[in-house]
Amino acid sequence: GGVIAVGNHDGDDDDGGGGGGANESRTILSLGSLDVDVGSMDGVRIDGNAETEEAKVETERANVASAPDDHVDMALSSSSLEEIELNSPANHHASESLPPFTATLAWRLRAAHAPTTPRERRWDAVGSDLAVLARRDSRKAEEPLRLWEAATSTEERVCEGLRKLGRLVCRCERRMGREMARRAGRTHRDDENDEMEAAEAVFAYFCEKNVLPLLVDSFSCRPPPWTSDRSIERDDDSSPFSGVAWTVAAKAQILQTLAMLIGNAVSPLSLTYLLSNNYVNELIMGVLPLSQWKDHALEELLPPFVTLLRGLVMTLRGDGGANCAPLLLCRRKRSETYMPLFHAAVHVLVSPLGSSLRDVDGSLVRTTAMNAVLNLCRVTDPDVRSILIGAVHDDDDEDEDEDEEDASTSSSRQRARSILTVEQRLLFSNVCRNLQSCHGRSVRLIMASLSLNEKHGRRKRHPTPRGTSATRRPSPSESSPATEEARARHADVAESLLAELRHWWGFVDDLLSCSVRVLNVRLCETIVRQVIVDTVLRSWHHRSPRRATPPSDDSENRRERYRSIAETRASLWFLAQLFGTVEYPPLV
C-alpha cells in the first residue's frame, strides 16, 4: 500500500554513502562489503498517505519547525506561507500575483523534470535565488529556507533508506550464491541451512511486499502540470507518492539500487523475478527521452543509468542470458518487437545532452553506452540477433545459388535490407555525423595553417635600392611569439582530431567485427554513401572556379586555393586512417 520499512544501522559503512548524488553514483562500480546489521535497523516510515489526516499535518509542521533534521516523513506541511515578492521583470508580471512558497512548491523546485509550462519556467530559478532573497529580506526568506532545508534532510534520509535496502538484498543474494555452491559439493551443517533460509526469506519478503514495482512507479512519477496557482498543490488522492519522489537524488538512488540488485542477483529465480513483468523495461523507457530532465539532473541520472544498462548487458552475455533475453523484449505500437535496453544504449550514445560527461578521452557515460552497444551485438542468442537487425533475417548464410533465385525474391530482399530500424538509423547517423565533423574540422585547420605559414613564415624577400633603408622581415626561425603560439595550438588541435578520428574508426571496426551480417551490410552502405562518396571524394575533387577576369582583391582566390589544397590533404589523411584502422574486408 505504498509503505515500506527500511532503516539505518549503527555499524561503520566503509563503501560509500547514499544520497544519490553524482559522487555516490559511481560507487556502484565497486560495491565492496555489504555487511548490514539487520538486528539494529530502526524503521523509517515511507508513507505516501501520511498528510491526508489533518492531525498528522499539524504534528509534522511542529516537528519541522522545531528540528528540521529529525523530520522523517516525506509529506511536508503544505500550509500557505508568506508570499515571496520577486521584483525582477523576468520573474514577475504586474497583472498576476505569485503563489505562496509552500512545501509542495519546494518539492517542485527540486524536481528532476524540466519545466513544461510558462509558470513552471518562471519559478524554476527561484531555488538558486533563495540566497539572494535571504540577503535582500531575511524575514521573507526564513520560511522558504526552512522548507528547503527540511526537503534536503528528507531526501538524504530516503536515499539512505533506499541504499540500505539494496545493500541488504544484495548481501542475502551473495550468501545464497555461496550456499548454493557449497551444496553442490557436500552436505552442510544446520547453521548453514539456517543462513540459507534467512537469506531466502529476505528476498521472499522483498517480492511479497511488491517493493520492485513500488520503486519503478516512484521513479516514473512526476509533478502534475502547474497551470494556475490552485494547481500547485498536488492531489493526494491521485498519487501515493510524496514530492520527494520527484527529486533528482531519489530518482538517482532508485537507479543505483536497482543496478545493484540486478548486478548481484545470483539465483536464477531472483534474476527472473527482477526482469519479469516488464518492470525493468518500464524503468528504462521512463528515463527516455533525455530532454525531459533538467541539465543538472542528467549529470546525476546518467551515470547510474548507464551502469544499469551495462549490468543488463553482462547478464545477457552470462550463462543464463538465453533465458533472460525474452524478458527484455517489448512491442511498439506498430507491432514491431524491439529491445528497450538496446534502444536506451543507442539514445544515450547519440544524445548531445549531458555534454559535460561526454568526451573523446573516455568518459564514463559515452564509453559505457558504447560498450553496451558492442556487447549486445556480440550476443549470439537468436532472439537478440533478430532484434538487432530488425524484422529481416539473414538468409545468406545458407549455401544458395544466386542464379537460381528469381528476380522478385532478390529485389524484395534488397528492399528489406535498405530499411533501417529506429536504433540503426540513430546509431549510423551519429557515426557518420562524427566522421564528417572530423573531416570538416581538419579542412578548416589545414586552411588556417596554410594561411599562417604564408603570412609569417614563407614571405619572399624583395631587393631594395642601394642607399635606402629596408624593413627586415622575420625569417621562419625568428617568428613572433604569437605566431609560435598559434602553431602550437594548431598542433594540439591536430593531435586531438587524430585521436577522435581513430576513436570513431575503431568503434566502426569493433561494430563490424561482431559479425552481424545484415547490420554490417547496412552500416557499410551508409558509411560509403554518406561519408566516403558525399564528403571525402566530393571534397577531394574540389577545384577553384575559373574566372575570365580575376577580381581586384585576390583574397577570394587565395581562400579557394587554400580550400582546394586543404580538402585534398584532409581526404588523403582521412582515408589513410580508415585503411590503417578498419580491418573489415568488405568495407576496405
Side-chain angles (χ1 to χ4, degrees):
V3 180
I4 59 177
V6 296
N8 307 325
H9 65 85
D10 300 330
D12 295 335
D13 296 332
D14 296 331
D15 51 341
N23 295 332
E24 289 80 1
S25 60
R26 291 176 174 81
T27 61
I28 191 173
L29 301 179
S30 57
L31 296 176
S33 175
L34 292 181
D35 295 334
V36 179
D37 188 0
V38 183
S40 63
M41 295 180 68
D42 58 314
V44 177
R45 186 172 178 80
I46 304 179
D47 194 347
N49 300 322
E51 61 176 351
T52 57
E53 301 179 13
E54 207 171 87
K56 291 185 179 181
V57 171
E58 297 297 331
T59 303
E60 292 301 331
R61 184 187 310 169
N63 291 339
V64 174
S66 59
D69 294 336
D70 296 333
H71 181 65
V72 177
D73 198 275
M74 290 183 188
L76 298 178
S77 169
S78 59
S79 60
S80 298
L81 300 175
E82 214 169 352
E83 185 175 320
I84 299 177
E85 297 178 0
L86 298 180
N87 298 326
S88 174
N91 296 332
H92 182 71
H93 298 281
S95 60
E96 59 180 356
S97 60
L98 295 176
F101 197 102
T102 63
T104 304
L105 180 57
W107 288 127
R108 282 182 174 274
L109 296 179
R110 299 181 68 87
H113 290 87
T116 57
T117 63
R119 192 177 299 270
E120 292 176 356
R121 297 187 188 97
R122 184 157 53 96
W123 271 88
D124 187 46
V126 171
S128 59
D129 293 339
L130 284 179
V132 179
L133 181 63
R135 289 194 300 266
R136 188 173 58 186
D137 193 338
S138 59
R139 184 179 61 85
K140 290 185 177 181
E142 181 179 356
E143 290 296 337
L145 289 176
R146 179 179 64 83
L147 286 175
W148 193 267
E149 293 174 359
T152 304
S153 177
T154 304
E155 287 181 28
E156 293 175 355
R157 294 182 65 85
V158 170
C159 292
E160 180 69 11
L162 291 171
R163 187 177 67 89
K164 299 293 183 178
L165 173 66
R167 287 164 56 90
L168 176 61
V169 178
C170 291
R171 176 176 180 268
C172 295
E173 274 295 308
R174 285 206 297 268
R175 177 160 295 181
M176 284 193 293
R178 290 194 298 266
E179 294 299 325
M180 291 170 59
R182 291 175 183 174
R183 285 184 177 183
R186 62 180 178 83
T187 306
H188 23 262
R189 305 184 303 272
D190 293 338
D191 57 347
E192 294 176 348
N193 292 331
D194 294 340
E195 292 181 357
M196 184 70 172
E197 293 177 359
E200 292 176 348
V202 170
F203 191 81
Y205 186 83
F206 177 85
C207 301
E208 178 185 353
K209 297 304 178 182
N210 292 324
V211 179
L212 179 60
L214 176 66
L215 295 177
V216 175
D217 291 342
S218 62
F219 181 87
S220 303
C221 73
R222 59 181 301 165
W226 183 12
T227 56
S228 63
D229 294 347
R230 293 181 179 180
S231 65
I232 182 177
E233 300 298 333
R234 58 184 180 84
D235 187 5
D236 294 324
D237 297 331
S238 63
S239 175
F241 301 104
S242 175
V244 73
W246 306 339
T247 60
V248 183
K251 294 183 182 296
Q253 189 61 51
I254 290 173
L255 289 174
Q256 182 174 346
T257 301
L258 293 179
M260 290 176 61
L261 296 179
I262 294 175
N264 288 272
V266 178
S267 171
L269 180 62
S270 303
L271 186 59
T272 302
Y273 171 77
L274 292 174
L275 300 181
S276 62
N277 295 322
N278 276 336
Y279 292 142
V280 175
N281 293 333
E282 182 181 350
L283 178 69
I284 291 175
M285 297 307 296
V287 180
L288 303 177
L290 298 179
S291 57
Q292 66 177 316
W293 309 104
K294 297 178 182 177
D295 293 338
H296 71 88
L298 279 176
E299 305 298 321
E300 297 192 32
L301 292 177
L302 282 179
F305 181 60
V306 296
T307 306
L308 173 64
L309 299 181
R310 186 195 61 177
L312 291 171
V313 172
M314 293 297 102
T315 300
L316 285 178
R317 296 201 66 189
D319 297 334
N323 300 326
C324 299
L327 302 176
L328 296 174
L329 304 181
C330 292
R331 285 189 177 274
R332 291 191 175 99
K333 293 182 179 179
R334 55 178 181 271
S335 299
E336 177 187 353
T337 304
Y338 77 106
M339 179 178 288
L341 174 59
F342 183 58
H343 184 79
V346 172
H347 264 275
V348 173
L349 177 61
V350 306
S351 176
L353 300 176
S355 57
S356 63
L357 295 173
R358 302 160 187 277
D359 52 77
V360 184
D361 298 333
S363 67
L364 173 68
V365 171
R366 179 185 290 276
T367 304
T368 307
M370 189 174 291
N371 289 334
V373 172
L374 292 175
N375 281 288
L376 273 176
C377 294
R378 295 189 179 103
V379 176
T380 58
D381 184 80
D383 293 336
V384 178
R385 284 291 177 100
S386 63
I387 294 300
L388 295 179
I389 65 178
V392 184
H393 294 270
D394 186 13
D395 296 332
D396 285 347
D397 293 338
E398 302 177 2
D399 296 329
E400 298 178 355
D401 190 359
E402 291 257 344
D403 298 334
E404 296 178 359
E405 294 181 350
D406 55 20
S408 60
T409 304
S410 178
S411 59
S412 62
R413 181 179 302 173
Q414 184 176 2
R415 287 195 303 269
R417 284 180 182 170
S418 63
I419 301 175
L420 300 179
T421 63
V422 175
E423 293 79 17
Q424 292 172 4
R425 192 180 306 111
L426 289 174
L427 182 60
F428 297 170
S429 299
N430 181 71
V431 172
C432 294
R433 188 162 51 249
N434 281 278
L435 291 175
Q436 291 170 342
S437 175
C438 291
H439 182 271
R441 283 179 289 160
S442 64
V443 170
R444 292 191 294 271
L445 177 63
I446 295 175
M447 290 177 63
S449 298
L450 290 173
S451 176
L452 182 67
N453 291 335
E454 184 167 340
K455 288 181 180 179
H456 301 282
R458 297 179 180 176
R459 291 181 181 250
K460 297 181 180 180
R461 303 190 65 158
H462 301 280
T464 55
R466 187 177 298 178
T468 61
S469 60
T471 304
R472 180 176 176 271
R473 299 182 182 272
S475 63
S477 59
E478 299 176 353
S479 301
S480 64
T483 304
E484 295 299 328
E485 182 181 357
R487 286 173 177 163
R489 187 166 59 252
H490 287 178
D492 294 339
V493 174
E495 185 177 356
S496 176
L497 273 174
L498 177 61
E500 184 176 353
L501 184 61
R502 288 177 176 175
H503 169 80
W504 284 108
W505 279 131
F507 174 69
V508 170
D509 186 62
D510 291 340
L511 194 59
L512 294 174
S513 65
C514 296
S515 302
V516 185
R517 179 160 183 173
V518 175
L519 190 71
N520 291 354
V521 169
R522 295 173 178 174
L523 177 59
C524 290
E525 289 178 349
T526 305
I527 290 178
V528 170
R529 181 175 60 253
Q530 297 185 13
V531 179
I532 303 301
V533 176
D534 291 348
T535 301
V536 178
L537 296 183
R538 186 184 300 274
S539 64
W540 196 343
H541 295 283
H542 181 274
R543 292 293 182 269
S544 301
R546 296 182 179 179
R547 299 176 182 269
T549 305
S552 57
D553 185 11
D554 62 348
S555 60
E556 183 178 352
N557 285 339
R558 187 185 306 114
R559 181 177 178 81
E560 288 297 326
R561 179 166 53 86
Y562 289 161
R563 178 177 293 277
S564 178
I565 297 174
E567 288 180 341
T568 303
R569 293 183 182 179
S571 300
L572 290 171
W573 169 74
F574 191 89
L575 293 178
Q577 298 303 319
L578 164 64
F579 297 138
T581 306
V582 178
E583 299 179 358
Y584 188 64
L587 179 58
V588 175

